[in-house]
C-alpha cells in the first residue's frame, strides 16, 4: 500500500506528466532498448517509429498517476494492456527492467525538478502498479494454458488455406502443426503472429483479429498488405505474409486474447461499423450474431475505398441472405466505374451522422466499430453528437490505444 504522503506526491506530478509525458516515455524506450536490445524481439518497431507506443504509454502513466488512490478506476485499461502483454509474451521479469528505465527517464527529462522525494514516491507507485499487472497477467497466462486446446507461449500452426479477399487483403486459415485441438475464443479477440523475416535482425510480432466465428477447427486471420505511404514505411510482417506465406507454411502464434468482445447478454439492436481492415473483428461478431441472436436486429456497415478493396463482402451478404435480422450497408470513398455500374454500394464518400440516422432506427443500440484512427474519430464524434450513451460505444485500436476525443 502507498502512504498518504506518497499518494499526495504522485498526484502533484499529474500536471507535469500531462506536459512532459511523451518526452519521458520516448526517452524511456530509447534507454530500455539501448540497455536491453533483446526486448526489440517483443515490441512493435513500427509503432515505436510512429510514436504511437510512446504516446500510449504516456497516457497510461498519466492515468495511473491521476487515479493512484483508486487504481480500480483504470482496471478496464489495465486488463486491455494485460491482454496484449500476455499475447506478446511479456513476463514478470520484464517489469523491473521497465521500472528502472522509466524512473531514469523521468530524472533525465525533468532534471532538478525530479527530486529524490518524487523519484522515491514514483518507485513505490511503480511497484504497486507493476504488481497489479503481474498478478492479472499471471491469471491470463494460466487460463490460456489450462483451457481446453490451450497452450503457453507461441505454438506452431500451418497455413491450411489462403484466400484472396480483395486487391490488398488475403485470409489465412491456420491449423495446429501438432494436429491437436485449439482454444476457443470470444468474437472480437486476436492472436499474435511471431515471424523471423529474412534480412531482419529481430523477431517481429504482430496482432491480428480473428475474422471467423469461433468453434471451428482453424483460426482465420485476414491481413491487409500495408504498403509504404507518404512517411510511413511498409508493414514488414504483413508484406512478408503476403510475399512468402503460402499454403503449408508454418507460423508461430499465441493463444487468443483481447477485451474488445461481443456482449451477448444485451439483446438490444447492435450496430457494427468497420473501416477497411477494421472489419475483421466485427466479421467474427457478425458470424456469431447470425446464429445465436435471431431476434436481435443487427446493422452491419462496412466502409472501403471501393469494391476492389472491399474484403469479406460475400460472407457478410450470405449471412444477411440467410438471416433476415441482419441488414448490410456498404460505403465507398472512391467507387470505381464498375462499382457504379453494378450499384454495389449504398453511399459514396464517408460514413456520416445523417446517413447513420437514415439506416439505424434508434440511437438506443450497442455500437461496435474498428478501423483507421481518423475513421474511428469520425464515427465516435457522430455517435456522441447523436446522443448515444458512452457505455454503448465500444471500439478497438489496431496497435497502441489512443484517444478519440481529440479533433
Amino acid at each position: 500500500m502507498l502512504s498518504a504522503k506518497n499518494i499526495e506526491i504522485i498526484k502533484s506530478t499529474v500536471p507535469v506528466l500531462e506536459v512532459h509525458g511523451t518526452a519521458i516515455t520516448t526517452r524511456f524506450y530509447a534507454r530500455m532498448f539501448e540497455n536491453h536490445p533483446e526486448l526489440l524481439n517483443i515490441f512493435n518497431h513500427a509503432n515505436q517509429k510512429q510514436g504511437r507506443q510512446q504516446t500510449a504509454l504516456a497516457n497510461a502513466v498519466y492515468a495511473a498517476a491521476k487515479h493512484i488512490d483508486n487504481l480500480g478506476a483504470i482496471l478496464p485499461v489495465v486488463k486491455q494492456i494485460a491482454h496484449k502483454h500476455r499475447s506478446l509474451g511479456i513476463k514478470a521479469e520484464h517489469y523491473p527492467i521497465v521500472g528502472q528505465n522509466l524512473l531514469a527517464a523521468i530524472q533525465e527529462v525533468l532534471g532538478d525538478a525530479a527530486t529524490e522525494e518524487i523519484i522515491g514516491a514514483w518507485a513505490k507507485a511503480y511497484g504497486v502498479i507493476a504488481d497489479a499487472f503481474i498478478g492479472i497477467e499471471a491469471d491470463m497466462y494460466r487460463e490460456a494454458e489450462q483451457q481446453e486446446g490451450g497452450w503457453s507461449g507461441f505454438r506452431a500452426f500451418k497455413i491450411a488455406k489462403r484466400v484472396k479477399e480483395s486487391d490488398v487483403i488475403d485470409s489465412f486459415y491456420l491449423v495446429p502443426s501438432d494436429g491437436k485441438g485449439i482454444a476457443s475464443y470470444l468474437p472480437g479477440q486476436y492472436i499474435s503472429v511471431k515471424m523471423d523475416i529474412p534480412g531482419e535482425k529481430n523477431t517481429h510480432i504482430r496482432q491480428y483479429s480473428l475474422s471467423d466465428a469461433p468453434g471451428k477447427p482453424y483460426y482465420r486471420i485476414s491481413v491487409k498488405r500495408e504498403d509504404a505511404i507518404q512517411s510511413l514505411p511498409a508493414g514488414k510482417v504483413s508484406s512478408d505474409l503476403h510475399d512468402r506465406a503460402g499454403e503449408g507454411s508454418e507460423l508461430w502464434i499465441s493463444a487468443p486474447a483481447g477485451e474488445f468482445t461481443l456482449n451477448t447478454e444485451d439483446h438490444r439492436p447492435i450496430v457494427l461499423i468497420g473501416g477497411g481492415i477494421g472489419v475483421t473483428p466485427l466479421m467474427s461478431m457478425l458470424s456469431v450474431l447470425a446464429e445465436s441472436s435471431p431476434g436481435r436486429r443487427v446493422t452491419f456497415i462496412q466502409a472501403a475505398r471501393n469494391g476492389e478493396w472491399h474484403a469479406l463482402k460475400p460472407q457478410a451478404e450470405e449471412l444477411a441472405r440467410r438471416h433476415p435480422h441482419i441488414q448490410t450497408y456498404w460505403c465507398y470513398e472512391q467507387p470505381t466505374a464498375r462499382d457504379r455500374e453494378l450499384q454495389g454500394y449504398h453511399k459514396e464518400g464517408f460514413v456520416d451522422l445523417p446517413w447513420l440516422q437514415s439506416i439505424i432506427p434508434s440511437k438506443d443500440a450497442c455500437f461496435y466499430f474498428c478501423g483507421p484512427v481518423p475513421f474511428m474519430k469520425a464515427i465516435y464524434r457522430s455517435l456522441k453528437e447523436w446522443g448515444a450513451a458512452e457505455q454503448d460505444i465500444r471500439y478497438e485500436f489496431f496497435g497502441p490505444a489512443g484517444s478519440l476525443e481529440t479533433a
Side-chain angles (χ1 to χ4, degrees), residues 249-312:
S249 297
E250 195 167 70
L251 301 177
W252 289 86
I253 71 173
S254 64
E259 282 282 282
F260 180 64
T261 56
L262 186 64
N263 181 0
T264 55
E265 296 181 0
D266 193 325
H267 301 293
R268 291 178 300 155
I270 185 168
V271 182
L272 309 176
I273 311 174
I277 194 59
V279 74
T280 49
L282 306 179
M283 194 67 208
S284 179
M285 294 180 183
L286 182 68
S287 300
V288 169
L289 288 166
E291 304 294 340
S292 65
S293 303
R296 188 179 189 184
R297 180 187 172 98
V298 180
T299 304
F300 185 79
I301 302 167
Q302 188 172 354
R305 179 173 297 182
N306 52 49
E308 295 173 355
W309 286 53
H310 190 168
L312 305 173

Side-chain angles (χ1 to χ4, degrees), residues 360-373:
I360 301 171
S362 169
K363 65 183 179 184
D364 182 23
C366 302
F367 296 90
Y368 292 75
F369 58 93
C370 185
V373 173

Side-chain angles (χ1 to χ4, degrees), residues 61-333:
V61 172
Y62 173 80
K66 187 176 180 181
H67 299 282
I68 196 64
D69 53 346
N70 179 26
L71 289 177
I74 61 169
L75 188 59
V77 175
V78 171
K79 286 186 174 180
Q80 182 185 56
I81 297 172
H83 269 283
K84 293 196 174 185
H85 284 180
R86 199 278 294 160
S87 180
L88 292 169
I90 291 175
K91 300 291 184 67
E93 56 264 30
H94 294 131
Y95 280 89
I97 296 173
V98 171
Q100 179 184 7
N101 287 281
L102 181 58
L103 292 174
I106 292 174
Q107 287 182 307
E108 286 187 34
V109 173
L110 299 186
D112 293 339
T115 65
E116 288 187 14
E117 188 178 47
I118 288 175
I119 295 300
W122 262 105
K124 289 183 173 65
Y126 177 79
V128 171
I129 296 167
D131 285 346
F133 272 101
I134 291 169
I136 290 171
E137 288 163 17
D139 290 340
M140 289 181 176
Y141 277 108
R142 189 161 44 248
E143 181 183 352
E145 184 174 7
Q146 294 179 358
Q147 66 182 312
E148 183 178 354
W151 68 94
S152 175
F154 287 83
R155 180 179 175 190
F157 277 65
K158 287 187 177 179
I159 299 174
K161 183 169 66 171
R162 176 174 171 174
V163 176
K164 187 174 182 61
E165 305 286 5
S166 76
D167 282 2
V168 293
I169 298 171
D170 281 19
S171 285
F172 299 84
Y173 291 73
L174 310 176
V175 298
S177 297
D178 59 17
K180 297 179 181 179
I182 59 175
S184 189
Y185 58 92
L186 299 174
Q189 290 192 305
Y190 55 80
I191 57 175
S192 285
V193 177
K194 181 170 68 173
M195 297 185 68
D196 291 310
I197 300 174
E200 290 290 320
K201 180 179 178 181
N202 298 108
T203 296
H204 291 263
I205 303 176
R206 295 292 185 274
Q207 293 162 330
Y208 292 105
S209 296
L210 294 156
S211 62
D212 207 342
K216 299 182 178 179
Y218 60 81
Y219 294 140
R220 185 179 75 180
I221 56 174
S222 302
V223 180
K224 178 187 175 185
R225 183 188 184 102
E226 298 288 354
D227 292 321
I229 54 170
Q230 297 178 351
S231 60
L232 299 180
K236 290 182 179 179
V237 174
S238 70
S239 296
D240 199 59
L241 282 170
H242 276 259
D243 291 341
R244 296 197 306 119
E247 294 179 0
S249 297
E250 195 167 70
L251 301 177
W252 289 86
I253 71 173
S254 64
E259 282 282 282
F260 180 64
T261 56
L262 186 64
N263 181 0
T264 55
E265 296 181 0
D266 193 325
H267 301 293
R268 291 178 300 155
I270 185 168
V271 182
L272 309 176
I273 311 174
I277 194 59
V279 74
T280 49
L282 306 179
M283 194 67 208
S284 179
M285 294 180 183
L286 182 68
S287 300
V288 169
L289 288 166
E291 304 294 340
S292 65
S293 303
R296 188 179 189 184
R297 180 187 172 98
V298 180
T299 304
F300 185 79
I301 302 167
Q302 188 172 354
R305 179 173 297 182
N306 52 49
E308 295 173 355
W309 286 53
H310 190 168
L312 305 173
K313 180 181 180 182
Q315 292 96 313
E317 289 181 328
E318 175 60 17
L319 289 172
R321 186 188 67 78
R322 290 192 289 110
H323 302 278
H325 66 290
I326 296 175
Q327 300 292 320
T328 57
Y329 298 91
W330 321 125
C331 178
Y332 288 171
E333 179 185 350

